[in-house]
Amino acid sequence: MPERKKVTLPSLFRKVTDNVPITMLTCYDFPTAYFQEQAGIDMILVGDSLGMTMLGYESTLPVTMEDMIRHTQAVRRGSPNSWLIGDMPYMSYQPSVETAIRNAGRFMAEASCDAIKLEGGTEMADRMAGIVRSGIPAMGHLGLTPQSVSALGGFRLQGKGAQQARKIIEDAKSLEEAGAFAILLEMVPDRLCQLITERAKTCFIISLGSGLHAHGQLLIYHDAFGLYPRFKPRMAKVFANAGQVIQDGLMEYVKEVTERTFPQPENWFGMPDEEYEELLTLLG
Ligand code: KIV
């Protein structure tokens, strides 16, 4: 496959201008990053969802900067040309603007990221502005923000009522004014997503379970490929059931080893007769 050009902020905004949807997926490891690179995914998010999808936690809250940096480095090695976004984990930016800038800087310096993402609206706009002023592109995240799942009352639709929807519109405006290059809208009604997309002037909007009227789409990789055994959210379509393929393969492996039909001669290595004879002599 011919190597593709590096995705850049200008090339992403060109897609927006040309009305071509931006493709985005989460990714957490080298081989998956390699496949996504080959598929030409525009933006890769190393989400703190890795706490659930890769590490088996019940939420994203236990994820550390060290977890994030290690996985992001692996993804960068597999996908040199996508626009790579490091997701700021819980308490890596909430305490202060300075904490936020330091940890955003780690993603750029240690994992060769192109940008970072953080959750929250108006109340996080000063963190967003500080990071952007430091020369680091930053993406916002509104609607269902998993780091605040307890305060939000669970993994549920956000902005269904008019008052809450207006607050999300105001939050989007604050993030745009703070310099966000993009905003992710997770699980808000499609009409709210459309209103925010139409109002966006200097940033673009990515939808996760928020309908078609955004500038691009994001899915959690494990949801889209049947790799998360605990549940499948409604917003995710399973594009290929890799989880089932792997499960079937594992059962076949167990069966063949148990029945001694694996391995076969093509799966092992022989030794020349004369070397074997000499070995037996040496052993007495
Ligand atoms: O961590 C993550 O993957 C995310 C998505 C839910 C957008 O933030």
Side-chain angles (χ1 to χ4, degrees), residues 192-207:
L192 174 56
C193 180
Q194 182 170 11
L195 284 173
I196 294 173
T197 303
E198 286 166 0
R199 282 167 162 73
K201 293 193 171 60
T202 56
C203 68
F204 57 84
I205 306 299
I206 300 290
S207 156

Side-chain angles (χ1 to χ4, degrees), residues 25 30 56 64 160:
L25 280 174
F30 169 79
T64 64
K160 198 169 162 191

Side-chain angles (χ1 to χ4, degrees), residues 30-284:
F30 169 79
T32 310
Y34 176 84
F35 293 138
Q36 294 195 14
E37 174 82 25
Q38 302 308 307
I41 297 296
D42 296 314
M43 302 208 296
I44 290 182
L45 171 69
V46 183
D48 63 352
S49 50
L50 69 80
M52 299 167 80
T53 56
M54 301 296 286
L55 305 177
Y57 296 133
E58 295 289 339
S59 78
T60 60
L61 303 194
V63 176
T64 64
M65 272 305 290
E66 274 56 45
D67 294 329
M68 293 304 302
I69 296 282
R70 174 62 65 90
H71 283 269
T72 309
Q73 288 168 336
V75 171
R76 180 45 103 200
R77 287 191 281 269
S79 178
N81 294 309
S82 61
W83 181 257
L84 181 63
I85 303 173
D87 199 13
M88 305 279 287
Y90 187 55
M91 288 302 146
S92 69
Y93 58 99
Q94 288 94 339
S96 67
V97 175
E98 191 190 323
T99 315
I101 296 172
R102 276 193 198 290
N103 284 317
R106 286 194 64 189
F107 271 116
M108 305 301 279
E110 297 175 39
S112 304
C113 276
D114 297 300
I116 62 87
K117 173 175 89 57
L118 55 82
E119 298 181 11
T122 307
E123 69 288 357
M124 288 296 142
D126 60 344
R127 274 67 161 179
M128 173 71 70
I131 291 168
V132 173
R133 266 200 310 275
S134 307
I136 301 172
M139 180 176 197
H141 181 169
L142 297 172
L144 173 57
T145 45
Q147 291 175 16
S148 313
V149 70
S150 184
L152 296 177
F155 290 94
R156 51 156 73 156
L157 183 68
Q158 300 295 312
K160 198 169 162 191
Q163 297 292 342
Q164 202 197 16
R166 188 176 68 166
K167 165 84 169 83
I168 295 174
I169 291 173
E170 286 166 3
D171 282 340
K173 186 141 186 44
S174 298
L175 294 179
E176 184 171 26
E177 285 170 0
F181 76 88
I183 298 171
L184 169 66
L185 292 179
E186 178 173 353
M187 261 179 96
V188 304
D190 63 337
R191 293 212 263 192
L192 174 56
C193 180
Q194 182 170 11
L195 284 173
I196 294 173
T197 303
E198 286 166 0
R199 282 167 162 73
K201 293 193 171 60
T202 56
C203 68
F204 57 84
I205 306 299
I206 300 290
S207 156
L208 171 56
S210 303
L212 203 51
H213 299 292
H215 299 110
Q217 296 291 327
L218 166 66
L219 275 181
I220 305 275
Y221 177 78
H222 282 55
D223 295 337
F225 291 91
L227 292 167
Y228 189 61
R230 286 193 180 131
F231 61 85
K232 180 186 102 49
R234 176 180 146 190
M235 60 202 178
K237 172 178 168 183
V238 178
F239 284 82
N241 201 340
Q244 192 59 55
V245 171
I246 292 168
Q247 188 68 68
D248 292 347
L250 287 167
M251 313 256 278
E252 183 61 21
Y253 175 72
V254 169
K255 178 170 171 286
E256 290 189 22
V257 170
T258 308
E259 292 173 352
R260 297 185 204 278
T261 53
F262 176 86
Q264 292 290 314
E266 64 269 24
N267 308 119
W268 68 61
F269 303 90
M271 189 179 192
D273 288 348
E274 60 277 17
E275 296 296 335
Y276 183 64
E277 294 305 329
E278 186 181 338
L279 174 62
L280 291 184
T281 308
L282 287 173
L283 292 175

